[in-house]
Amino acid sequence: MSEITPAAETAAPHRYTADLAADIEGRWQDFWQAHGTYEAPNPSGDLDGDPETAARPKKFIMDMFPYPSGAGLHVGHPLGYIATDVYARHQRMTGHNVLHTLGFDAFGLPAEQYAVQTGTHPRVTTEANIVTMTAQLRRLGLGHDKRRSFATIDPGYYRWTQWIFLRIFNSWYDEEAARARPITELVEQYEGGVRTTPDGRAWAELTVAERAGVLDGHRLAYVAQSPVNWCPGLGTVLANEEVTADGRSERGNFPVFKANLRQWMMRITAYADRLLDDLDLLDWPEAIKQQQRNWIGRSEGARVDFPVAGADRPITVFTTRQDTLFGATYMVLAPEHDLVDAIVPDAWPEGTHQVWTGGHATPAEAVAAYRKFAASKSDVERQADAKEKTGVFTGAFAVNPVSGENVPVFIADYVLMGYGTGAIMAVPAHDVRDFAFARAFELPMRCVVAPTDGRGTDPAQWDDAFASYDATLVNSVGSGVSLDGLGVTDAKAVITAWLADRGIGEGTVNYRLRDWLFSRQRYWGEPFPVVYDEDGVVHALPDSMLPVALPEVDDYSPRTFDPDDADTSPEPPLSRNEDWVTVELDLGDGVRTYRRETNTMPNWAGSCWYELRYLDPHNSERLVDPAIEQYWMGPREGQPAGGVDLYVGGAEHAVLHLLYARFWHKVLHDLGHVSSVEPFHRLFNQGMIQAFVYRDARGIAVPAVEVEERDGGWFYQDQPVSRVLGKMGKSLKNAVTPDEICAEYGADTLRLYEMAMGPLDVSRPWDTRAVVGQYRLLQRLWRNVVDEATGAVTVSEAEPDETTLRALHKAIDGVTGDMAGLRFNTAIAKITELNNHLTKTGGPVPRAIAEPLVLLIAPLAPHIAEELWSRLGHTASLVHEPFPVADPALAQDEAVVCVVQIKGKVRARLEVPPTISDTELEAQALADPAVVAALGGAAVRKVIVRAPKLVNIVV
Ligand code: ANZ
């Protein structure tokens, strides 16, 4: 229809074509840049000076910032950036001060791997990538405040990342006050004797190293020797969050082993409850909240001690069902539990059941063999709900503290060392896994919670455990306590008190969350701002020595190993630079020699606080000016924790980045550096743009652009290929770049297409052939304002007709709601409808319609809108022009159809105004000739009216 033939071009030299779009877009991008159109004001600067600006509400809008990869952007990447830009533009037009910018998350593994592959220093490749990406993003016309952009690798930025690290290092968590406090206040408590040292000696009597040891036990960042995830294939240790459920590295998919290493940890566990509770204050997708809750994994239960004959300490279990204590008929320790060796006797007790021994001659042999077997499985395999339960008897018995019975102690791999206490009391009648195990090992079961499903109380007759919470206790009397007849909750309270009275148990809360492993053996990361003295004591560097610059070195490659060789250990690349590692410093007690920390921070560090730096990017005195932070992020009505107003990004960051950033933010809040309690008030996860992947007979992806579709199949170089929907990317040879689409249609078309593809949170397949649809919308819009032959503006000054006016106000009304609700696809549908109406009506479009139409589409297609706005005679940019406001009377449907039923049968349809009252509608219905005829004089018993849509007459 609007194919551009050379003939058509001569006939219509002012048609909206890709060339015209490129011209318009380039000019307006230059204009915006030259005029600082998107620069957000700050208090104590522009805001204080201008009462009108100061009076406006604020909106801080953010994207999860990109990682500047060597491959550049494909059309999937900017989906979220376009969406936030549309939203931000609408917010500007509805009178908000908008802060929207974009930086780069530029440290981390991929940049380093890319650098190693290409043999170029990561700084060089990363900076080049940033230049490419910046140009690609500029082409899209994103309204970012460019003054506020930065990369996490800028020394001016990571100086503050290191500064925050030092605050975290120099603080401790005061459980009583439930907040972080400076470590100096803990020292005061020890000095003043308010708090006793672990071994009871006076603080003054402790050596420097001993004091350091005590404080390290409290610091929120600390070095510890602990079992960590070691990934030889990557040559670095990893956080739990970076290890997949099947025990491999999320990046690279290499095996991960547990190794006991000295590493930096962050005490995120101190914040477990607050991280959990404050989720309730956030406007986030429920699924993400749930993932965080699960990751934190708070379980309320109890610890219970079971004495073991011959052992010097009891087995302590963690249970969430202490009410079932009378039903604990055996126990299980994790195979790695350190009590195992202490309780294993020399020989099997008399009469030990054959299945319990696994056929081994002694308990020690059985335990050793079983440990070997269990070590070969990952935690996930061990926990998999396989009916097949394995384990072996240790030869030892413990005493159930309430029933007084001897219960056998097993080791089994379904109990994990890393959870609770690594030991359980097994209640086979009421726990599914224990039931399966007890069946396999012919262990006794006792019913202590009366089944409510009629199965009776003899577990020998059951097919599975009765695991309900909603039932009453039975068979639970003894040792001066009775739980019989109590509900689960009451029984828990009674037994917990009984245990506490005897000092053999207490109510506790257990978390799945572990402290965050914070060091990596990489070059391309933030150096730690600490040094070690000759005794290995850590010293924080003073703020005046920040930033600790990452040295420019030639050899930045990580030392990697055979991915399957667990007997290797990490080697930080920075350790190869002796000149840098050894330093002479005066830290207050004269010049001494120190060694630098050679690990670097994980790539999550830079993204833990970047929202704060956007607020005040050039501040060299402070992390962020408090007044500025308060203005853009402070708590306010409807946002009790404060934070960014809208944060858009992929759902894959559910626990990693979002949990870490929340933790850092809370520490900064506790220490008084920020007024907000949470970094991100509203979170929105955009869907993914998918693309078809074509594979040849060998399963190898072939270039998607070269695939031909014919006879209902797909062919590449005349060979049939298969087609599936997958991710878009270079490796699958199906990437489409925004540059290509911009060249062919312009950025406004690309923006519209991406927003029109479907609801923002849903994944959608890319279809280059469909892009032209949005191009045509813009061509028609253009034609409704500009004469294609002469370039003259064609709008008339005449009053619009009623129908057109109503169509406009309906569109305004709908688009306004859609913009606020991020429903850009439906907003585009409404704009298209209005525009089509104008095209169909023909004749010059009245200015009173054309201008609001241009404003309506401006957030979505800002370049063409600016161009038309200026051609319509306006001298200022429309970026801050008020968004059109719908007249409710005109926005409503002129008439709605009311159905009149008699005895359930539709007898008439009335056209009525949507605002009609019940009484009036009833009168109209009863007077309608069709209704009168249908009633045929019958007496009306009752009229049910649901204005404006339904009248039901009962006769
Ligand atoms: C007795 C019992 C009876 C249990 C019953 C459950 C049902 P959550 O909710 O996930 O915290 N458990 C404790 N530590 C374990 C470990 N290291 N490895 C495997 N399982 C472990 O689960 C807590 C329950 O999981 C605990 O409560 C314990 O089994 C088990 F009818 O104790 B229960």
Side-chain angles (χ1 to χ4, degrees):
M1 183 178 113
S2 50
E3 292 303 306
I4 317 291
T5 61
E9 281 213 37
T10 13
H14 297 276
R15 174 168 293 188
Y16 184 79
T17 60
D19 286 342
L20 181 58
D23 167 58
I24 292 173
E25 291 171 2
R27 272 193 290 112
W28 282 102
Q29 285 161 14
D30 290 343
F31 175 94
W32 295 328
Q33 190 165 341
H35 291 78
T37 307
Y38 303 111
E39 292 179 2
N42 265 348
S44 66
D46 342 288
L47 271 185
D48 290 352
D50 173 8
E52 201 190 308
T53 311
R56 287 196 202 124
K58 62 89 190 183
K59 273 278 150 71
F60 182 10
I61 299 162
M62 254 176 77
D63 305 272
M64 289 186 186
F65 63 170
Y67 186 79
S69 104
L73 297 177
H74 61 61
V75 290
H77 293 117
L79 179 68
Y81 307 152
I82 296 172
T84 47
D85 186 54
V86 175
Y87 181 75
R89 286 174 182 279
H90 179 248
Q91 291 295 314
R92 279 191 201 95
M93 295 176 80
T94 49
H96 294 83
N97 286 327
V98 169
L99 197 165
H100 191 205
T101 188
L102 193 72
F104 293 93
D105 189 15
F107 273 130
L109 274 177
E112 195 175 81
Q113 280 169 338
Y114 184 72
V116 171
Q117 274 162 26
T118 57
T120 324
H121 193 280
R123 181 169 293 283
V124 175
T125 50
T126 307
E127 281 172 357
N129 295 344
I130 290 177
V131 170
T132 312
M133 242 186 189
T134 304
Q136 283 188 300
L137 291 169
R138 182 188 143 95
R139 185 72 187 84
L140 299 175
L142 303 172
H144 293 158
D145 183 345
K146 302 240 163 58
R147 302 168 307 165
R148 296 173 186 264
S149 179
F150 52 76
T152 52
I153 56 173
D154 300 342
Y157 180 79
Y158 72 67
R159 167 195 175 178
W160 292 104
T161 309
Q162 292 173 336
W163 184 92
I164 297 172
F165 176 85
L166 290 177
R167 297 311 95 142
I168 298 175
F169 174 73
N170 278 322
S171 51
W172 61 293
Y173 200 78
D174 181 345
E175 294 285 346
E176 246 162 72
R179 65 178 182 89
R181 295 173 61 184
I183 200 86
T184 46
E185 294 178 14
L186 182 66
V187 174
E188 281 164 20
Q189 291 194 357
Y190 279 124
E191 278 171 350
V194 183
R195 183 181 281 266
T196 44
T197 60
D199 65 4
R201 279 183 297 157
W203 187 248
E205 285 172 32
L206 268 54
T207 65
V208 173
E210 282 171 338
R211 286 183 200 166
V214 172
L215 295 181
D216 285 350
H218 289 274
R219 289 182 190 277
L220 289 182
Y222 61 98
V223 181
Q225 177 94 27
S226 60
V228 298
N229 307 302
W230 162 232
C231 178
L234 288 175
T236 184
V237 295
L238 297 169
N240 288 352
E241 290 82 0
E242 293 167 311
V243 179
T244 61
D246 52 354
R248 300 178 78 90
S249 61
E250 188 154 68
R251 185 160 283 283
N253 196 30
F254 293 114
V256 172
F257 303 94
K258 283 276 178 233
N260 234 340
L261 295 168
R262 266 180 78 76
Q263 297 292 329
W264 279 98
M265 307 292 288
M266 288 247 170
R267 211 178 295 278
I268 190 171
T269 50
Y271 282 83
D273 276 328
R274 283 169 61 190
L275 288 170
L276 201 61
D277 294 345
D278 289 356
L279 284 172
D280 294 341
L281 306 176
L282 303 179
D283 180 5
W284 284 19
E286 194 47 41
I288 302 277
K289 288 190 183 183
Q290 201 47 46
Q291 283 182 62
Q292 292 218 347
R293 288 189 192 110
N294 293 344
W295 188 259
I296 297 166
R298 185 181 201 274
S299 291
E300 269 181 57
R303 288 183 185 231
V304 185
D305 291 341
F306 284 64
V308 189
D312 58 354
R313 60 196 163 102
I315 299 175
T316 305
V317 303
F318 170 70
T319 174
T320 47
R321 291 298 303 269
Q322 60 270 37
D323 55 302
T324 62
L325 186 55
F326 281 95
T329 53
Y330 70 98
M331 302 188 76
V332 183
L333 299 181
E336 307 85 354
H337 199 290
D338 63 356
L339 257 178
V340 176
D341 291 326
I343 62 172
V344 168
D346 295 336
W348 294 117
E350 276 240 341
T352 298
H353 199 315
Q354 186 63 27
V355 285
W356 292 12
T357 67
H360 292 280
T362 64
E365 253 180 48
V367 164
Y370 189 75
R371 279 183 169 164
K372 215 167 153 192
F373 162 80
S376 69
K377 289 209 218 165
S378 74
D379 279 5
V380 177
E381 288 167 340
R382 287 172 53 161
Q383 278 199 304
D385 265 337
K387 278 266 175 276
E388 197 71 29
K389 288 278 174 285
T390 63
V392 75
F393 180 41
T394 61
F397 287 88
V399 181
N400 180 322
V402 74
S403 71
E405 282 168 353
N406 275 336
V407 294
V409 182
F410 281 72
I411 57 172
D413 64 4
Y414 76 96
V415 174
L416 302 176
M417 196 54 227
Y419 191 72
T421 59
I424 65 157
M425 63 179 215
V427 185
H430 305 292
D431 179 273
V432 179
R433 292 169 305 171
D434 298 345
F435 186 92
F437 189 89
R439 271 283 149 89
F441 289 83
E442 298 174 31
L443 286 155
M445 304 194 196
R446 176 181 302 137
C447 172
V448 293
V449 183
T452 46
D453 54 6
R455 60 166 80 186
T457 53
D458 179 8
Q461 312 296 321
W462 299 354
D463 295 330
D464 55 6
F466 178 72
S468 173
Y469 271 75
D470 194 12
T472 309
L473 275 285
V474 290
N475 295 331
S476 297
V477 185
S479 306
V481 63
S482 169
L483 306 178
D484 282 6
L486 296 179
V488 169
T489 312
D490 292 341
K492 278 188 185 180
V494 171
I495 196 73
T496 307
W498 182 87
L499 289 163
D501 277 351
R502 281 156 188 76
I504 53 171
E506 59 177 349
T508 64
V509 179
N510 192 63
Y511 300 90
R512 214 184 139 246
L513 185 69
R514 292 285 167 267
D515 279 345
W516 174 18
L517 177 71
F518 194 71
S519 35
R520 299 291 181 280
Q521 290 72 47
R522 310 310 286 194
Y523 167 71
W524 196 231
E526 298 87 348
F528 281 80
V530 299
V531 290
Y532 298 89
D533 65 22
E534 58 269 30
D535 298 324
V537 174
V538 186
H539 295 262
L541 293 177
D543 294 348
S544 60
M545 288 186 189
L546 302 184
V548 176
L550 184 63
E552 293 296 324
V553 300
D554 297 329
D555 180 11
Y556 44 79
S557 309
R559 170 101 195 265
T560 57
F561 302 87
D562 171 355
D564 295 308
D565 189 356
D567 292 328
T568 45
S569 47
E571 179 197 289
L574 284 178
S575 68
R576 295 173 209 142
N577 304 278
E578 200 42 52
D579 311 353
W580 182 78
V581 174
T582 310
V583 275
E584 307 270 309
L585 296 173
D586 184 349
L587 297 181
D589 51 358
V591 177
R592 288 167 61 189
T593 306
Y594 296 93
R595 285 184 71 74
R596 290 190 190 276
E597 169 64 67
T598 55
N599 288 304
T600 52
M601 298 188 197
N603 55 324
W604 308 106
S607 57
C608 267
W609 72 281
Y610 70 122
E611 70 285 356
L612 293 171
R613 199 61 182 167
Y614 282 156
L615 303 178
D616 197 8
H618 306 296
N619 196 334
S620 55
E621 303 299 313
R622 316 182 69 134
L623 179 77
V624 55
D625 181 306
I628 295 178
E629 186 273 336
Q630 164 80 44
Y631 176 74
W632 289 108
M633 289 183 71
R636 60 203 62 214
E637 212 187 308
Q639 299 186 10
V644 172
D645 296 276
L646 175 67
Y647 191 33
V648 174
E652 67 277 14
H653 292 296
V655 282
L656 289 150
H657 156 61
L658 288 172
L659 196 63
Y660 298 151
R662 294 182 62 214
F663 162 52
W664 275 35
H665 203 93
K666 288 187 180 305
V667 179
L668 289 172
H669 172 81
D670 287 357
L671 299 176
H673 300 294
V674 294
S675 67
S676 40
V677 181
E678 286 280 338
F680 311 115
H681 172 71
R682 179 178 178 199
L683 176 72
F684 188 93
N685 296 126
Q686 88 274 16
M688 279 226 292
I689 289 193
Q690 300 168 308
F692 287 113
V693 186
Y694 300 90
R695 294 181 192 277
D696 64 16
R698 295 165 302 167
I700 295 177
V702 302
V705 280
E706 292 170 41
V707 171
E708 282 177 274
E709 182 175 358
R710 63 178 128 93
D711 317 326
W714 298 275
F715 296 86
Y716 172 67
Q717 296 179 344
D718 276 337
Q719 297 299 313
V721 290
S722 67
R723 185 179 93 155
V724 287
L725 208 50
K727 274 180 95 158
M728 183 177 280
K730 235 183 178 174
S731 58
L732 295 174
K733 300 197 182 126
N734 60 0
V736 176
T737 66
D739 316 54
E740 295 166 51
I741 303 298
C742 287
E744 203 166 340
Y745 300 105
D748 281 336
T749 296
L750 172 65
R751 292 171 59 107
L752 275 177
Y753 175 67
E754 295 219 355
M755 294 301 98
M757 285 169 85
L760 190 58
D761 55 351
V762 173
S763 292
R764 66 286 299 280
W766 177 267
D767 181 4
T768 298
R769 286 167 309 179
V771 177
V772 72
Q774 299 305 323
Y775 182 54
R776 291 194 180 128
L777 165 65
L778 294 181
Q779 288 188 317
R780 283 194 294 270
L781 170 72
W782 184 259
R783 261 201 302 273
N784 280 331
V785 181
V786 177
D787 185 313
E788 290 187 335
T790 64
V793 171
T794 56
V795 297
S796 77
E797 303 303 324
E799 286 296 314
D801 63 77
E802 164 100 6
T803 321
T804 304
L805 202 57
R806 284 191 179 276
L808 171 70
H809 283 271
K810 248 184 108 168
I812 296 174
D813 187 46
V815 171
T816 302
D818 289 344
M819 287 279 173
L822 306 175
R823 294 182 302 270
F824 305 126
N825 57 328
T826 52
I828 293 169
K830 285 163 193 155
I831 292 170
T832 308
E833 199 181 319
L834 174 64
N835 194 52
N836 287 350
H837 168 80
L838 300 176
T839 306
K840 245 190 291 159
T841 321
V845 174
R847 177 179 288 275
I849 303 293
E851 292 201 341
L853 170 61
V854 166
L855 295 175
L856 277 188
I857 205 168
L860 291 149
H863 310 90
I864 191 175
E866 287 271 32
E867 182 69 15
L868 291 174
W869 189 247
S870 111
R871 289 192 185 213
L872 283 163
H874 300 275
T875 48
S877 155
L878 55 57
V879 165
H880 293 99
E881 194 64 26
F883 200 74
V885 177
D887 175 341
L890 291 169
Q892 258 174 2
D893 282 321
E894 226 173 324
V896 289
V897 175
C898 172
V899 171
V900 185
Q901 295 182 334
I902 301 173
K903 288 204 281 185
K905 265 209 182 125
V906 178
R907 293 297 185 180
R909 286 178 212 278
L910 312 176
E911 284 220 343
V912 296
T915 47
I916 193 165
S917 70
D918 281 359
T919 7
E920 201 182 323
L921 185 57
E922 178 176 338
Q924 269 196 34
L926 290 174
D928 186 83
V931 173
V932 174
L935 283 174
V940 173
R941 265 212 296 145
K942 200 165 151 198
V943 185
I944 301 159
V945 186
R946 297 272 174 275
K949 296 227 162 130
L950 180 78
V951 177
N952 203 350
I953 302 172
V954 185
V955 292

